[in-house]
Amino acid sequence: MVAEVPEVEVRRSKRRRRTVSAYRDGEKIVVLIPDRLSKKEERDWVEQMVARLEKSERKRKPTDDDLMKRALGLSDRYLGGIAIPESVRWVDNQQSRWGSCTPGDRSIRLSARLQGMPSWVIDYVLIHELAHLFEPNHNARFWGWVDRFPQAERAKGYLLGWSAAAKLDAPPGEDPEDFEELD
């Protein structure tokens, strides 16, 4: 399997003196460099910055195997190990939900839109779906389990903010008005 070489755009700046940076703009990687660099220095910096950016992206986009390991660890830590999925995987067909769970076959699917979001947000969605393996409804018992995750409220806010910025409705059961208080 040959790795795909990304399209790279180099932008030179007379104002940039000592720093080099890179970011992704769609499918393209943009590398910002000082104008004074030689062509050889440019090639070296581009190679280094592309490698650094791709390494960072790999860390933020776990594989399906990584998701399964993470789910099992989260189940142990926050749910007493009682939620054991059969499979956990990324899917591209969820545009109105962050994740879904089928308790019958113990499968969990996470929206690929989560890739690149902070790990604590992905962890929250995993815990949410893990809790559905034994508590199918968004009732007080369900939220009691989910809220064992210390960053649950922060992650809910992050996802609601992301949805608002993208002008999407909150997924069913995620609207703050749908939350039930624990007794």
Side-chain angles (χ1 to χ4, degrees):
M1 183 174 159
V2 176
E4 200 173 307
V5 178
E7 176 187 351
V8 177
E9 177 182 332
V10 177
R11 294 184 188 165
R12 290 177 169 266
S13 169
K14 291 183 191 309
R15 290 185 302 186
R16 187 174 285 268
R17 299 276 182 231
R18 297 183 303 212
T19 61
V20 176
S21 62
Y23 64 91
R24 189 170 290 276
D25 183 11
E27 294 300 313
K28 173 175 50 179
I29 295 176
V30 178
V31 180
L32 307 170
I33 64 171
D35 190 45
R36 65 175 174 74
L37 294 184
S38 70
K39 286 291 184 187
K40 181 189 181 321
E41 289 172 315
E42 175 183 314
R43 279 191 308 276
D44 292 345
W45 273 110
V46 166
E47 183 180 327
Q48 180 181 340
M49 296 307 288
V50 167
R52 185 182 295 174
L53 183 64
E54 288 178 334
K55 180 180 179 184
S56 173
E57 289 175 341
R58 279 191 302 276
K59 283 183 179 177
R60 294 189 72 177
K61 295 182 180 180
T63 65
D64 290 354
D65 287 341
D66 294 335
L67 283 179
M68 177 59 111
K69 289 175 193 161
R70 190 71 182 157
L72 293 172
L74 291 166
S75 175
D76 286 344
R77 185 167 184 184
Y78 298 107
L79 305 175
I82 63 174
I84 310 295
E86 189 64 35
S87 69
V88 183
R89 62 188 175 93
W90 295 109
V91 294
D92 294 320
N93 63 350
Q94 289 187 2
Q95 299 307 312
S96 63
R97 297 175 183 263
W98 296 113
S100 61
C101 171
T102 305
D105 66 6
R106 307 193 70 71
S107 65
I108 292 174
R109 293 157 308 281
L110 296 187
S111 172
R113 293 178 301 140
L114 289 166
Q115 292 177 333
M117 289 189 184
S119 59
W120 49 270
V121 173
I122 296 170
D123 287 351
Y124 163 74
V125 176
L126 278 170
I127 289 171
H128 182 111
E129 300 309 330
L130 286 165
H132 278 308
L133 291 175
F134 57 88
E135 190 62 59
N137 301 310
H138 289 119
N139 57 27
R141 281 190 314 265
F142 171 84
W143 290 114
W145 285 103
V146 171
D147 289 340
R148 289 179 173 203
F149 180 56
Q151 293 175 304
E153 287 302 315
R154 182 178 176 206
K156 289 174 195 173
Y158 183 99
L159 293 171
L160 286 169
W162 193 97
S163 295
K167 299 189 181 355
L168 299 173
D169 290 332
E174 290 296 324
D175 191 310
E177 295 173 7
D178 294 341
F179 294 169
E180 296 180 33
E181 294 295 319
L182 295 176
D183 294 323

